[in-house]
Amino acid sequence: MKAIEASIIIPTHNKLSRLRLVLKAFEKQMIPSVELIIVFDGCSNETIEEYKKLNVSFKPKEIFCNENVGRAAARNIGIK
């Protein structure tokens, strides 16, 4: 397995339509040395269930925050 050279962190709060577009855009660009991290920032259960139904050719890492902490804090959580 190659070392991770870059991390892409995407915070989201119940914006499934945008997330779907972003993941589809990244789908043809992902390489093994790049990781994509999605931070679900206080998302509803409905949003998370619909996200799980998405079909993309790579597996992003997922972080779930129970409450909305804001875009910047969610991004920092993804960095950690």
Side-chain angles (χ1 to χ4, degrees):
M1 182 173 195
K2 285 188 166 188
I4 299 298
E5 296 179 11
S7 298
I8 301 166
I9 302 167
I10 302 173
T12 186
H13 176 72
N14 293 328
K15 299 289 186 188
L16 187 62
S17 60
R18 286 185 187 174
L19 182 59
R20 183 181 293 118
L21 291 173
V22 169
L23 292 177
K24 290 295 182 183
F26 274 115
E27 195 164 33
K28 295 182 181 179
Q29 303 176 53
M30 292 303 291
I31 57 176
S33 61
V34 175
E35 68 179 349
L36 191 135
I37 302 168
I38 303 172
V39 182
F40 292 91
D41 184 18
C43 290
S44 68
N45 289 336
E46 179 182 323
T47 298
I48 293 169
E49 290 303 316
E50 288 300 314
Y51 160 77
K52 290 179 180 179
K53 294 177 185 176
L54 295 179
N55 186 18
V56 291
S57 62
F58 62 97
K59 179 67 174 146
K61 292 184 179 180
E62 303 157 351
I63 299 172
F64 299 94
C65 298
N66 291 329
E67 59 184 54
N68 185 332
V69 295
R71 183 178 301 271
R75 196 175 289 120
N76 288 337
I77 289 169
I79 291 169
K80 290 180 183 175

